[in-house]
Amino acid sequence: MVADTFTMNIRSGPRHDLSAPTDAQLARRVQRGHTSDLAPLVERHHSPLLGFLYRLTGGDRPLAEDLTQETFLRALRSIQQYQTSRPFKPWLYAIAVNVARDHFKRAETRHAVTLTDDELLALPDPIDLEETIEIDGPRLALAISALPGQQREAILLRYYQDLSLAEMASVLSIPIGTVKSRLSLGLRQLRLSLKDEAVCHTSMNSARN
Amino acid sequence: MPHVDELRAKLIEDAGSAAEADRLLPALRHLADWPAPTPTALETDRLVQTLAAELSAQRSSSIVSLMAGLLRAQLRVVQHEIWLASAFVMTLGVLVTLTLQPGTSIELLPVVLLAPLMAALGIAFLYGPAADPSLEIELATPASPRLIVLMRLLLVFLFDLVLSLAGSAALVVLQGSWSLWPLVALWLAPMTFLAALAFLLSVLFIDPLISALICLVLWGLQVLRAFPPFAAFPDWLASDLRPWLWLMALLCVSVALWLAGREERQLLKRI
């Protein structure tokens, strides 16, 4: 089931009919004021973008919906600045990331994570979780939500939105090396969080028994 | 399981080594345990509607602000003499009309005869290098020079229209012998046509003096219709000619804009 879900998620990006116009072509027409081309563009990206923001906000659907709408509105307001020679998806996700960051800054909704990147790197590798942990959606959501913002963005863009490293670098406006380092640190931190969860879970089960 | 291989390949790319990828793989596989909601078709439709409304509002506001900006800019470019001369001529026309005997034919009122000529002469001096010292800068701006010329035409025409309306209203109030609408209807169509013709002629001949002269002669013939040798000339003030005058005005402006566009392309080629 996990495998199916993952396959579904990782391949849930837009599937284009070869004869259908590309995102860039649609965006160019929207730039010229063709309202009718807005619908296919939004239909293509609404669901993946909502998914991204849903996970980025720690599973808060109403908030994710608001941020999704704000992302599209902001994209539309700055559509003239979009260069159609470049891919549309990273441009849209860069706006989404900024919208989410603005929200977190305003609302101070992010939970503080005390460990710095250097401290994380100095930690010993956790045990292999595959054999020792039973993880479910809510716990995973909690663990991802507890990641530092930059690592969380990197993990979500890479493993849920299926962006390449180059596309991520464009979305986050950072070099590819920094993207890799954020991904690595994010995964490491995630393993630590899941391990802690597993320990708590096992202790609670033992206490109940 | 191909998806695991896919994940592993991605991890190797991200982490830099197979060993590190294998250590991270178990954690990564759990990411799929967190499904995201999918918006319904209705929710997507609602979003599209919101965005379409935003796009329309954005377009209208940008068109309005572009037009307003162009009009404001043209206010500075149009030669100041045009404003002063028009205001002077109209004031003079109203004053002379007020001195006339009651019962003078409405068609011979100086205001009626001056309004079209004033607009035509003002507009004749709007186009061409002599009348447009900022032409080179205009050619380098994103707004089409044709649109700029059209805005300038609109600005001067609106100014003359307001002046003529104010003059007519002043006459109606001060003299009381005429009603406002018949008075306005008399000069409005000829004024629009003569202004459009002046614009077309100035685009055709580039020289504003030629355009002004032709308009002066044509309108002079209308004024001289009171004398027998010129009575055969069509009466521009006649109500049955008005629809034709409007139509010809539209035609003149369209042809002038087309010619101005062609001229602009040739100029750009030369630059």
Side-chain angles (χ1 to χ4, degrees), chain A residues 154-175:
Chain A
I155 297 271
L156 294 177
L157 288 171
R158 179 67 165 160
Y159 297 107
Y160 285 109
Q161 304 315 122
D162 204 21
L163 258 59
S164 69
L165 293 176
E167 285 173 329
M168 285 178 65
S170 160
V171 168
L172 302 169
S173 306
I174 51 174

Side-chain angles (χ1 to χ4, degrees), chain A residues 2-3 5-6 11 46-47 54-55 61 76-77 125 128 130 135 137 140-141 158-160 162 180 191, chain B residues 3 6-7 10-11 13-14 23 26-34 36-37 39 43-44 51-52 54 58:
Chain A
V2 167
T5 318
F6 187 84
R11 290 178 180 162
H46 188 195
S47 185
Y54 172 79
R55 292 184 176 110
R61 181 164 182 172
L76 199 59
R77 281 175 198 141
D125 284 335
D128 191 333
E130 190 75 340
I135 194 80
L140 185 80
R158 179 67 165 160
Y159 297 107
Y160 285 109
D162 204 21
K180 282 186 176 181
R191 276 201 297 153
Chain B
H3 63 280
E6 212 172 296
L7 288 181
K10 211 175 216 183
L11 272 175
E13 190 187 359
D14 296 350
R23 275 202 295 274
L28 186 67
R29 287 183 63 187
H30 291 293
L31 291 172
D33 287 357
W34 189 15
E43 285 169 331
T44 304
L51 295 172
E54 168 73 18
Q58 212 173 301

Side-chain angles (χ1 to χ4, degrees), chain A:
Chain A
M1 192 198 103
V2 167
D4 289 347
T5 318
F6 187 84
T7 310
M8 182 192 76
N9 279 335
I10 206 160
R11 290 178 180 162
S12 63
R15 286 176 201 169
H16 299 307
D17 175 3
L18 284 178
S19 61
T22 62
D23 286 350
Q25 287 168 334
L26 289 171
R28 192 180 301 129
R29 291 178 60 79
V30 173
Q31 282 177 336
R32 290 174 189 161
H34 296 273
T35 319
S36 58
D37 291 288
L38 197 58
L41 200 60
V42 173
E43 280 160 13
R44 232 173 244 184
H45 292 283
H46 188 195
S47 185
L49 193 64
L50 177 66
F52 171 64
L53 288 166
Y54 172 79
R55 292 184 176 110
L56 198 62
T57 54
D60 185 338
R61 181 164 182 172
L63 176 59
E65 280 170 355
D66 286 351
L67 296 183
T68 303
Q69 178 164 322
E70 178 58 27
T71 300
F72 276 116
L73 279 171
R74 223 183 261 190
L76 199 59
R77 281 175 198 141
S78 51
I79 193 75
Q80 299 302 336
Q81 286 150 34
Y82 166 63
Q83 294 168 2
T84 50
S85 55
R86 307 182 74 175
F88 180 77
K89 191 177 170 184
W91 181 77
L92 182 67
Y93 278 78
I95 294 174
V97 165
N98 284 331
V99 165
R101 283 178 186 172
D102 288 351
H103 168 78
F104 291 138
K105 221 180 281 173
R106 260 197 324 270
E108 295 182 348
T109 50
R110 276 294 298 125
H111 305 293
V113 174
T114 49
L115 292 181
T116 64
D117 290 353
D118 289 338
E119 286 167 335
L120 274 169
L121 284 170
L123 287 171
D125 284 335
I127 53 169
D128 191 333
L129 296 169
E130 190 75 340
E131 301 300 326
T132 56
I133 191 168
E134 284 177 24
I135 194 80
D136 54 17
R139 275 200 209 114
L140 185 80
L142 207 64
I144 294 177
S145 304
L147 287 175
Q150 293 177 339
Q151 293 169 18
R152 198 162 32 119
E153 289 164 4
I155 297 271
L156 294 177
L157 288 171
R158 179 67 165 160
Y159 297 107
Y160 285 109
Q161 304 315 122
D162 204 21
L163 258 59
S164 69
L165 293 176
E167 285 173 329
M168 285 178 65
S170 160
V171 168
L172 302 169
S173 306
I174 51 174
I176 289 184
T178 313
V179 171
K180 282 186 176 181
S181 131
R182 283 187 192 174
L183 280 170
S184 171
L185 288 170
L187 288 169
R188 202 178 178 124
Q189 170 75 358
L190 195 63
R191 276 201 297 153
L192 284 171
S193 306
L194 293 175
K195 183 194 156 197
D196 290 347
E197 273 285 324
V199 170
C200 287
H201 190 61
T202 313
S203 312
M204 280 168 71
N205 283 345
S206 308
R208 272 193 213 116
N209 294 334

